[in-house]
Amino acid sequence: MRLRGVKRYHWARDVDEALSLLSAYQGKGAILAGGVDLARSPRTDIEGLIDITGTELSYLRADSAGLRIGATTTLSAILDHPQAREYGGGVLIQTLRTVAYPALRNMATLGGAVVSAHPWADIPTLLVALGAEVTYQSPEGEKRLPLENLYQTDFRRVFREGVLVEVRLPPWEGAFAFAKITRNAGDIALLNVCAGLGLREGRIAWARVAVGARPARGERLTWLEAGLVGEPPTERLWEQVAQEVRARLEVGEDRRASAGWRREVAGVLVRRALAQAAGKAAL
Ligand SMILES: Cc1cc2nc3c(=O)[nH]c(=O)nc-3n(C[C@H](O)[C@H](O)[C@H](O)COP(=O)(O)OP(=O)(O)OC[C@H]3O[C@@H](n4cnc5c(N)ncnc54)[C@H](O)[C@@H]3O)c2cc1C
């Protein structure tokens, strides 16, 4: 039986209460949002579940600084939101639609996906490419930092005593596209890519590319991004990109796919995502 050590279930009224409960459990408490991951957790040391779905962290707001999404907003709520549909050339919708299946998306939250951060997951790849910033509260106070930086720390330890409250997505002049490959619909990715670019006078003004499930978690290919700036977005360029990715991308193998296969497919997926982003950016 999963989570067999659980003795108590708490409904936190606000983030402060969730924090003090976490502190009282001294590492043996866990934040519960949608529960789709936690329900499968092999951890036997958790004694208290702290439900944060009543803490008013379910929202999506758009302003000149981009989108602000509360941590307990479900993936379905994001998919249904008109401003999410427009953001980044529709990349939120394009990605989240491929995450698992509707029943799971009705429960799963954005914050849960950020904290779980499975290496095969699509959401970290998406958010890192988009330059997401996250805000969390811990006993040391509130902190906001780029998700990319958070993932370079021991973030799981941070969330043993902290609560993620918000994900911010900056505005971009341009568009993003997402591509992934799975064995069948609803399965987890064997490789995923999120790429974006902006155009100025027919040339690439900025580019962002992240690749995940390789099998490591999504990270940006900054060497590729830098080389794209100033280039015209042509078929020839995309072919060069595919070759460069095949030659330089660090990939590994796991029981789902070999390194050689991942390297080959990564070239195709990055090219596909960039070409699609360029098409949207040109509209
Ligand atoms: C069958 C299945 C298929 C999936 N397929 C995909 C897929 O195709 N693509 C993809 O990207 N992802 C996929 N996922 C991952 C899924 O997106 C995440 O598991 C989900 O979003 C977790 O959200 P949750 O609200 O259910 O988290 P929970 O299960 O409630 O929590 C997960 C973890 O995060 C912690 N936590 C949650 N919220 C917070 C918070 N605000 N602050 C601090 N800690 C917090 C919990 O304590 C726990 O450790 C899949 C998951 C499952 C189970």
Side-chain angles (χ1 to χ4, degrees):
M1 193 182 107
R2 304 277 186 184
L3 294 174
R4 63 171 177 271
V6 172
K7 299 189 174 83
R8 287 215 165 81
Y9 190 107
H10 305 268
W11 290 91
R13 276 164 299 191
D14 51 37
V15 174
D16 284 344
E17 189 176 13
L19 286 172
S20 58
L21 283 162
L22 274 180
S23 160
Y25 275 106
Q26 298 187 332
K28 293 186 174 174
I31 295 294
L32 176 79
V36 307
D37 256 352
L38 208 51
R40 301 162 62 248
S41 170
R43 282 182 63 187
T44 51
D45 59 320
I46 298 175
E47 294 181 359
L49 292 177
I50 303 156
D51 189 323
I52 56 162
T53 54
T55 57
E56 304 197 350
L57 292 178
S58 296
Y59 58 84
L60 189 152
R61 297 179 194 130
D63 59 27
S64 57
L67 291 187
R68 296 169 63 158
I69 308 178
T72 61
T73 311
T74 64
L75 306 185
S76 294
I78 300 171
L79 277 164
D80 285 343
H81 204 287
Q83 268 140 338
R85 272 188 230 131
E86 283 163 25
Y87 180 83
V91 72
L92 293 182
I93 306 304
Q94 190 185 20
T95 309
L96 297 184
R97 225 182 242 150
T98 73
V99 171
Y101 37 84
L104 188 132
R105 298 196 294 260
N106 289 342
M107 304 280 294
T109 67
L110 189 66
V114 167
V115 175
S116 302
H118 298 291
W120 46 261
D122 309 306
I123 294 170
T125 307
L126 167 79
L127 297 180
V128 162
L130 291 173
E133 284 190 343
V134 292
T135 305
Y136 65 85
Q137 285 183 20
S138 72
E140 285 85 52
E142 186 172 290
K143 201 158 181 185
R144 184 169 133 198
L145 77 171
L147 181 59
E148 213 175 352
N149 296 6
L150 180 73
Y151 280 159
Q152 271 148 30
T153 67
D154 185 4
F155 64 94
R156 294 189 202 286
R157 197 190 52 73
V158 169
F159 293 115
R160 289 254 169 147
E161 48 180 26
V163 177
L164 180 79
V165 293
E166 188 177 80
V167 176
R168 290 187 188 203
L169 303 179
W172 290 98
E173 275 195 32
F176 284 79
F178 176 79
K180 81 180 193 187
I181 186 153
T182 60
R183 286 183 300 192
N184 50 46
D187 195 8
I188 61 173
L190 299 169
L191 205 69
N192 55 39
V193 174
C194 184
L197 54 82
L199 297 173
R200 196 173 309 128
E201 294 170 6
R203 291 183 182 267
I204 297 173
W206 59 264
R208 310 263 305 184
V209 182
V211 181
R214 49 178 158 144
R217 186 179 315 114
E219 278 180 18
R220 282 171 59 206
L221 312 187
T222 46
W223 48 269
L224 179 66
E225 295 170 359
L228 289 169
V229 174
E231 297 291 331
T234 57
E235 271 311 309
R236 196 158 147 262
L237 179 66
W238 306 141
E239 192 40 50
Q240 282 169 6
V241 163
Q243 280 175 22
E244 205 175 331
V245 169
R246 271 186 223 118
R248 288 187 61 178
L249 186 71
E250 282 177 33
V251 286
E253 66 175 4
D254 59 7
R255 65 196 165 95
R256 305 172 70 82
S258 69
W261 181 89
R262 279 199 166 94
R263 189 170 296 109
E264 199 59 38
V265 171
V268 176
L269 285 192
V270 172
R271 177 177 67 188
R272 192 176 290 167
L274 276 168
Q276 205 185 108
K280 293 191 214 173
L283 290 178

